[in-house]
Amino acid sequence: MQIKVHPLFFVLALALVALGRAQAFVLTFIALILHELAHAAMARLRGFTVKKMVLLPFGAMMSTEENFDRPSSVLVGLAGPVCNLVLSLITLGVWWLFPSVYSYTEIFFYANLSLGIFNLLPIYPLDGSRIVLGLCKNKLKAIKGLQIAGIVCSVIFLGLFIGSFFFGLNFTFGIIAVFLFYGSAFGTKEEMYISILDSASKNYMLGVERKTVRISQDAPIIRLYHHVASTCETTFEIIGPQGEPVAVLSEADLKALALKNRLSNTLESALSGKGKPAKTQKNRLQKEAVENAKTKKSFFAKSLKQRKT
């Protein structure tokens, strides 16, 4: 599993250390690690392999080889906050048994309590958003709601940060505001829209209707998602300027197209291979280029060694 650290995590660490709260940072970091280990453990328990984890100021973003089904999305989302809340209760029990440790564990208690409650908010990229997407039927409406809620909360925390100038400066409010705004405005697109097309999101118990949608090749990829629902299987007939058929896409084809292109690309550019690659695809191509360069370097080194011998 690959572990990365988001730049905002370093900003929070530097702010706490600069304010003389290094101990608070260490204890909060421990609570955060336990929070993420709970997520990873639940994901493994549900049969998923965790590929990458990015540590954020108040949680982490975890990516797996496959998208979570609805029950797994809820259980994995709950695992982290529940772990923190249980640790808070355990800390309370330790205080009752050993009152002398209160001063050493007070920060740990509040770190776990705040992480647990805060991450249950229905805002991307917090755990609450994963739980909401796992429970809701219309994920497109849910994503829009999560975005609006995140932006509203970021404005509220920005107001609290500005207000703290008059009542005692609190950098944490400012970091939360930036974190929520960035996550809500820019972090809810490729990965979350692609997950809408999972076959597990179809409600076959109620019956699934088949329908065909004709749409212009000049339309962006994201517009096709407005015709995707849990109660239907949609086939897209892409048409040209004169209404002539250009291509036919299934929902599986749409998912493959979305993985390789930005959702703002037009269908014409995506189908012709001229569209801008998605971030996930771009990262994969960069990784392959580095690996190819290493392979070539190793080959030339071996050839040079053989010539010398």
Side-chain angles (χ1 to χ4, degrees):
M1 180 177 65
Q2 186 181 10
I3 299 177
K4 293 186 177 181
V5 180
H6 195 276
L8 281 176
F9 183 86
F10 290 113
V11 173
L12 178 63
L14 290 173
L16 290 173
V17 172
L19 294 171
R21 302 185 63 188
Q23 182 185 4
F25 168 70
V26 172
L27 293 174
T28 303
F29 180 73
I30 293 172
L32 178 61
I33 291 296
L34 294 172
H35 174 103
E36 297 312 322
L37 287 176
H39 281 312
M42 180 57 72
R44 288 180 178 274
L45 189 64
R46 298 289 297 178
F48 295 92
T49 302
V50 180
K51 293 192 301 181
K52 184 176 68 173
M53 188 176 290
V54 181
L55 293 178
L56 301 166
F58 307 97
M61 291 177 65
M62 183 174 62
S63 59
T64 57
E65 292 181 353
E66 299 177 348
N67 291 320
F68 294 125
D69 54 70
R70 291 176 68 176
S72 297
S73 181
V74 174
L75 291 172
V76 173
L78 283 171
V82 169
C83 174
N84 289 128
L85 294 175
V86 169
L87 287 171
S88 297
L89 292 174
I90 292 173
T91 307
L92 284 175
V94 171
W95 288 352
W96 184 71
L97 293 172
F98 308 101
S100 59
V101 303
Y102 174 81
S103 59
Y104 304 103
T105 55
E106 180 186 7
I107 296 174
F108 185 69
F109 167 77
Y110 285 110
N112 278 293
L113 185 64
S114 58
L115 278 173
I117 295 175
F118 182 71
N119 273 281
L120 287 174
L121 293 175
I123 303 167
Y124 189 82
L126 301 181
D127 298 324
S129 66
R130 190 189 302 277
I131 297 167
V132 169
L133 290 174
L135 293 173
C136 70
K137 294 181 179 180
N138 191 324
K139 289 191 176 183
L140 275 176
K141 288 185 179 179
I143 288 172
K144 290 179 181 178
L146 292 170
Q147 286 179 315
I148 294 171
I151 293 172
V152 169
C153 285
S154 68
V155 172
I156 292 172
F157 277 102
L158 179 62
L160 291 173
F161 172 64
I162 294 172
S164 70
F165 279 89
F166 305 98
F167 304 102
L169 188 60
N170 191 324
F171 285 103
T172 305
F173 289 148
I175 295 170
I176 292 175
V178 174
F179 169 66
L180 292 181
F181 181 80
Y182 177 83
S184 299
F186 305 106
T188 55
K189 294 185 179 178
E190 274 80 4
E191 291 184 4
M192 294 182 71
Y193 273 95
I194 289 167
S195 68
I196 294 172
L197 294 168
D198 290 340
S199 59
S201 65
K202 301 296 181 185
N203 194 341
Y204 290 102
M205 292 297 294
L206 293 177
V208 175
E209 177 187 3
R210 287 183 175 178
K211 69 175 183 180
T212 301
V213 174
R214 302 185 80 221
I215 189 165
S216 170
Q217 64 180 5
D218 296 324
I221 295 172
I222 194 172
R223 193 164 296 165
L224 274 64
Y225 281 85
H226 294 280
H227 300 282
V228 177
S230 62
T231 56
C232 67
E233 289 180 352
T234 309
T235 300
F236 300 95
E237 186 179 333
I238 315 303
I239 60 174
Q242 306 301 321
E244 71 279 9
V246 175
V248 177
L249 301 177
S250 64
E251 290 188 4
D253 296 328
L254 173 58
K255 183 176 181 179
L257 208 64
L259 283 168
K260 295 179 181 179
N261 297 269
R262 292 185 181 179
L263 297 179
S264 58
N265 289 351
T266 64
L267 290 166
E268 181 183 17
S269 63
L271 291 170
S272 63
K274 297 179 181 179
K276 294 181 179 180
K279 290 181 179 179
T280 52
Q281 175 75 354
K282 187 177 180 182
N283 292 339
R284 185 181 66 79
L285 293 174
Q286 289 176 344
K287 187 176 180 180
E288 288 179 356
V290 171
E291 289 177 353
N292 290 335
K294 288 181 179 178
T295 303
K296 289 180 180 179
K297 186 177 180 181
S298 176
F299 173 77
F300 286 125
K302 289 180 179 179
S303 300
L304 185 63
K305 187 176 180 180
Q306 289 176 354
R307 287 181 183 180
K308 288 183 178 180
T309 55

